[in-house]
Amino acid sequence: MKTLPLWLFALAVTLATAPAFAQGSKFLKETQVPLIKAYVPHGYDNDDSVEIVVTGNLPSTCYKMGPIETVLDDQQHIYVTQTAYEFSGECLKGPIPIAQVVAMGRLSKAGPYEVIDGVSQDNIAKLVIAEATALGHGTDEVLYAPLSDAYLVQKNGKPAIRLVGAYPDNCLSLEKTAVKLDHDVMVVLPELKQAKGVACEKGRFPFEEDVAIETALPAEPFLLHVRSMSGASINKVITP
Amino acid sequence: MNKSFLTLTLLTGFTFFTAPATAETWPREVDIAAESLFVPAGFDDNDETMVILDGYLPSACHRLTAPTIQVDAASKKIVVGARAKEFKGVCPDVTVPFTQTVTLGQLERGDYAVVSKDGKHTNMMQISHATAAGPDDYLYAMVEKAHVIYPVPHKWVAVIEGRFTNTCLGLEETKVTVTGNTIQVLPIMNFVEPTNPKVPCRAQQRPFRTVVELPHLPADGRYLLHVRSLNGQAVNEVFFRTTPQP
């Protein structure tokens, strides 16, 4: 495919659709962009570090994502505000999709929360925090696989989730992986088992496992949320 | 003096004096020593800078929390450290690997020393002055995932996937540089002529996938694949380079 020089393309589009490009001298301004949707994995309790994923659009390639701010009020409203930096220069008009993981930390009060976009004040998601029941037994009721990545693949013509990571000893292995689709969030729980009565060798034992997805994939974008051992999770917005 | 009053006073006094030393609330927050500190190169003073901590939590009783960050602009020293909540209870005796991206925000230009909180790792981070009028020197592709595979002996490749947001966008070049244990990948976009001249460029989501051969990695160990993405974002993937067994 023949490639057009950037300046020629920019000139052509500028002449045709002048508002599509920001003009002027170099300039940096901090601004805020509205969020459209929040993906909220279910199953968090007040012992968990809560992570949600928010999505929106930047107006053009003249914008760069800035930090995200969260404020919790006493009505259990969580205001999430996405900042962005606006630049001058030759830029292609958007929308440019963005997705960002918001680490909210531990929400100590169980109950319902509302996630509100700090710009539009729209309610973009609901979040329910359950009362933790497993205190005294470590960080989770089950031991999840130590993952470095997880992503969708096609295996024998069918969708599957590839789990990539490394066991810290050779007694651990994947026992079962539950895949639950709840509206627009696919929650994946890769549970480990530990061999009993054998001497375990410490080290680094890489693994790559494919888990078949038995349910039909959503037609709309959805969040792939995979729990991992360290309490962190892997979150990816999948656009079919 | 009433004996029971004295006893109560003594007990209360004992409790007050000793309470801070003995009371322990669970879960508690603890510092975690990182095994690797990765510092990507190529940031400008208009970039959201980041470094990556990689290591192991001591047991399954630990859960990663927000990292500690201290930026001393005057001395150009940045100290970062991983933190975890430690839960009391019976947990499987396994070390838990973690990789944590620490966002430092925008930094003034200069040479910074990035130090792990335990002082074991120090890497330099050079922040250049942004010269381009736009957000970046290049227009990067929107990258959603990246991982490293070893398809044939002596060849490591990065598989990079993402989306174009316009029908006239394409991948022009993918620059790869290595600094220490960090591999920077810059997927640079360009504008391409429409296949059908009668159909103008328009906003449309199109997936792409590209495979990039990585340069020679001199030694076994942990490496960071740092892939720049559109609008100041990046995808970070830590992988383990091992010499294959014959």
Side-chain angles (χ1 to χ4, degrees), chain B residues 203-215:
Chain B
Q204 187 188 63
Q205 307 282 319
R206 281 187 304 129
F208 74 86
R209 181 179 191 270
T210 186
V211 177
V212 187
E213 187 172 344
L214 300 182

PDB file of all heavy atoms in Angstrom, chain B residues 203-215:
ATOM      1  N   ALA B 203     -13.548   7.429  10.572  1.00  0.00           N
ATOM      2  CA  ALA B 203     -13.295   6.791  11.867  1.00  0.00           C
ATOM      3  C   ALA B 203     -13.866   5.382  11.860  1.00  0.00           C
ATOM      4  O   ALA B 203     -15.041   5.179  11.552  1.00  0.00           O
ATOM      5  CB  ALA B 203     -13.929   7.612  12.979  1.00  0.00           C
ATOM      6  N   GLN B 204     -13.013   4.427  12.134  1.00  0.00           N
ATOM      7  CA  GLN B 204     -13.455   3.025  12.180  1.00  0.00           C
ATOM      8  C   GLN B 204     -12.433   2.223  12.985  1.00  0.00           C
ATOM      9  O   GLN B 204     -11.221   2.427  12.833  1.00  0.00           O
ATOM     10  CB  GLN B 204     -13.555   2.442  10.764  1.00  0.00           C
ATOM     11  CG  GLN B 204     -14.177   1.049  10.735  1.00  0.00           C
ATOM     12  CD  GLN B 204     -14.080   0.425   9.341  1.00  0.00           C
ATOM     13  OE1 GLN B 204     -12.978   0.194   8.834  1.00  0.00           O
ATOM     14  NE2 GLN B 204     -15.208   0.149   8.744  1.00  0.00           N
ATOM     15  N   GLN B 205     -12.918   1.354  13.821  1.00  0.00           N
ATOM     16  CA  GLN B 205     -12.029   0.518  14.624  1.00  0.00           C
ATOM     17  C   GLN B 205     -11.591  -0.694  13.792  1.00  0.00           C
ATOM     18  O   GLN B 205     -12.425  -1.442  13.293  1.00  0.00           O
ATOM     19  CB  GLN B 205     -12.765   0.026  15.874  1.00  0.00           C
ATOM     20  CG  GLN B 205     -13.407   1.135  16.702  1.00  0.00           C
ATOM     21  CD  GLN B 205     -12.411   1.876  17.552  1.00  0.00           C
ATOM     22  OE1 GLN B 205     -11.534   1.264  18.140  1.00  0.00           O
ATOM     23  NE2 GLN B 205     -12.535   3.178  17.612  1.00  0.00           N
ATOM     24  N   ARG B 206     -10.281  -0.832  13.634  1.00  0.00           N
ATOM     25  CA  ARG B 206      -9.753  -1.979  12.878  1.00  0.00           C
ATOM     26  C   ARG B 206      -8.653  -2.638  13.689  1.00  0.00           C
ATOM     27  O   ARG B 206      -7.683  -1.963  14.087  1.00  0.00           O
ATOM     28  CB  ARG B 206      -9.137  -1.518  11.551  1.00  0.00           C
ATOM     29  CG  ARG B 206     -10.128  -1.226  10.452  1.00  0.00           C
ATOM     30  CD  ARG B 206      -9.373  -0.962   9.155  1.00  0.00           C
ATOM     31  NE  ARG B 206      -8.403   0.101   9.272  1.00  0.00           N
ATOM     32  CZ  ARG B 206      -7.136   0.000   8.908  1.00  0.00           C
ATOM     33  NH1 ARG B 206      -6.665  -1.131   8.431  1.00  0.00           N
ATOM     34  NH2 ARG B 206      -6.310   1.027   9.028  1.00  0.00           N
ATOM     35  N   PRO B 207      -8.754  -3.916  13.961  1.00  0.00           N
ATOM     36  CA  PRO B 207      -7.684  -4.555  14.733  1.00  0.00           C
ATOM     37  C   PRO B 207      -6.418  -4.742  13.913  1.00  0.00           C
ATOM     38  O   PRO B 207      -6.478  -4.859  12.685  1.00  0.00           O
ATOM     39  CB  PRO B 207      -8.284  -5.910  15.113  1.00  0.00           C
ATOM     40  CG  PRO B 207      -9.327  -6.170  14.097  1.00  0.00           C
ATOM     41  CD  PRO B 207      -9.825  -4.842  13.603  1.00  0.00           C
ATOM     42  N   PHE B 208      -5.271  -4.734  14.569  1.00  0.00           N
ATOM     43  CA  PHE B 208      -4.024  -5.082  13.891  1.00  0.00           C
ATOM     44  C   PHE B 208      -3.196  -5.986  14.796  1.00  0.00           C
ATOM     45  O   PHE B 208      -3.387  -6.030  16.014  1.00  0.00           O
ATOM     46  CB  PHE B 208      -3.221  -3.827  13.507  1.00  0.00           C
ATOM     47  CG  PHE B 208      -2.539  -3.158  14.676  1.00  0.00           C
ATOM     48  CD1 PHE B 208      -1.287  -3.559  15.110  1.00  0.00           C
ATOM     49  CD2 PHE B 208      -3.160  -2.130  15.352  1.00  0.00           C
ATOM     50  CE1 PHE B 208      -0.660  -2.946  16.182  1.00  0.00           C
ATOM     51  CE2 PHE B 208      -2.552  -1.504  16.432  1.00  0.00           C
ATOM     52  CZ  PHE B 208      -1.299  -1.921  16.851  1.00  0.00           C
ATOM     53  N   ARG B 209      -2.310  -6.710  14.163  1.00  0.00           N
ATOM     54  CA  ARG B 209      -1.398  -7.598  14.887  1.00  0.00           C
ATOM     55  C   ARG B 209      -0.069  -7.563  14.155  1.00  0.00           C
ATOM     56  O   ARG B 209      -0.033  -7.711  12.928  1.00  0.00           O
ATOM     57  CB  ARG B 209      -1.968  -9.025  14.888  1.00  0.00           C
ATOM     58  CG  ARG B 209      -1.143 -10.055  15.627  1.00  0.00           C
ATOM     59  CD  ARG B 209      -1.867 -11.396  15.559  1.00  0.00           C
ATOM     60  NE  ARG B 209      -1.298 -12.390  16.450  1.00  0.00           N
ATOM     61  CZ  ARG B 209      -0.333 -13.227  16.133  1.00  0.00           C
ATOM     62  NH1 ARG B 209       0.195 -13.198  14.919  1.00  0.00           N
ATOM     63  NH2 ARG B 209       0.114 -14.109  17.009  1.00  0.00           N
ATOM     64  N   THR B 210       0.985  -7.321  14.887  1.00  0.00           N
ATOM     65  CA  THR B 210       2.301  -7.313  14.247  1.00  0.00           C
ATOM     66  C   THR B 210       3.282  -8.096  15.112  1.00  0.00           C
ATOM     67  O   THR B 210       3.141  -8.154  16.331  1.00  0.00           O
ATOM     68  CB  THR B 210       2.789  -5.863  14.014  1.00  0.00           C
ATOM     69  OG1 THR B 210       4.000  -5.888  13.275  1.00  0.00           O
ATOM     70  CG2 THR B 210       3.024  -5.119  15.311  1.00  0.00           C
ATOM     71  N   VAL B 211       4.237  -8.694  14.445  1.00  0.00           N
ATOM     72  CA  VAL B 211       5.242  -9.495  15.143  1.00  0.00           C
ATOM     73  C   VAL B 211       6.599  -8.833  14.912  1.00  0.00           C
ATOM     74  O   VAL B 211       6.976  -8.571  13.772  1.00  0.00           O
ATOM     75  CB  VAL B 211       5.242 -10.946  14.615  1.00  0.00           C
ATOM     76  CG1 VAL B 211       6.332 -11.767  15.294  1.00  0.00           C
ATOM     77  CG2 VAL B 211       3.885 -11.594  14.844  1.00  0.00           C
ATOM     78  N   VAL B 212       7.285  -8.561  16.001  1.00  0.00           N
ATOM     79  CA  VAL B 212       8.559  -7.837  15.922  1.00  0.00           C
ATOM     80  C   VAL B 212       9.666  -8.705  16.507  1.00  0.00           C
ATOM     81  O   VAL B 212       9.559  -9.187  17.637  1.00  0.00           O
ATOM     82  CB  VAL B 212       8.491  -6.523  16.747  1.00  0.00           C
ATOM     83  CG1 VAL B 212       9.747  -5.706  16.532  1.00  0.00           C
ATOM     84  CG2 VAL B 212       7.267  -5.730  16.410  1.00  0.00           C
ATOM     85  N   GLU B 213      10.718  -8.868  15.726  1.00  0.00           N
ATOM     86  CA  GLU B 213      11.847  -9.643  16.250  1.00  0.00           C
ATOM     87  C   GLU B 213      12.643  -8.775  17.222  1.00  0.00           C
ATOM     88  O   GLU B 213      12.927  -7.608  16.935  1.00  0.00           O
ATOM     89  CB  GLU B 213      12.745 -10.117  15.106  1.00  0.00           C
ATOM     90  CG  GLU B 213      13.812 -11.065  15.591  1.00  0.00           C
ATOM     91  CD  GLU B 213      14.591 -11.707  14.446  1.00  0.00           C
ATOM     92  OE1 GLU B 213      14.125 -11.649  13.288  1.00  0.00           O
ATOM     93  OE2 GLU B 213      15.660 -12.254  14.716  1.00  0.00           O
ATOM     94  N   LEU B 214      12.987  -9.353  18.352  1.00  0.00           N
ATOM     95  CA  LEU B 214      13.721  -8.589  19.359  1.00  0.00           C
ATOM     96  C   LEU B 214      15.221  -8.734  19.138  1.00  0.00           C
ATOM     97  O   LEU B 214      15.683  -9.763  18.634  1.00  0.00           O
ATOM     98  CB  LEU B 214      13.356  -9.084  20.772  1.00  0.00           C
ATOM     99  CG  LEU B 214      11.873  -8.966  21.143  1.00  0.00           C
ATOM    100  CD1 LEU B 214      11.635  -9.446  22.577  1.00  0.00           C
ATOM    101  CD2 LEU B 214      11.368  -7.533  20.984  1.00  0.00           C
ATOM    102  N   PRO B 215      15.974  -7.725  19.516  1.00  0.00           N
ATOM    103  CA  PRO B 215      17.431  -7.830  19.370  1.00  0.00           C
ATOM    104  C   PRO B 215      18.001  -8.889  20.307  1.00  0.00           C
ATOM    105  O   PRO B 215      17.299  -9.390  21.199  1.00  0.00           O
ATOM    106  CB  PRO B 215      17.935  -6.445  19.760  1.00  0.00           C
ATOM    107  CG  PRO B 215      16.766  -5.636  20.128  1.00  0.00           C
ATOM    108  CD  PRO B 215      15.543  -6.472  20.082  1.00  0.00           C
TER     109      PRO B 215
END
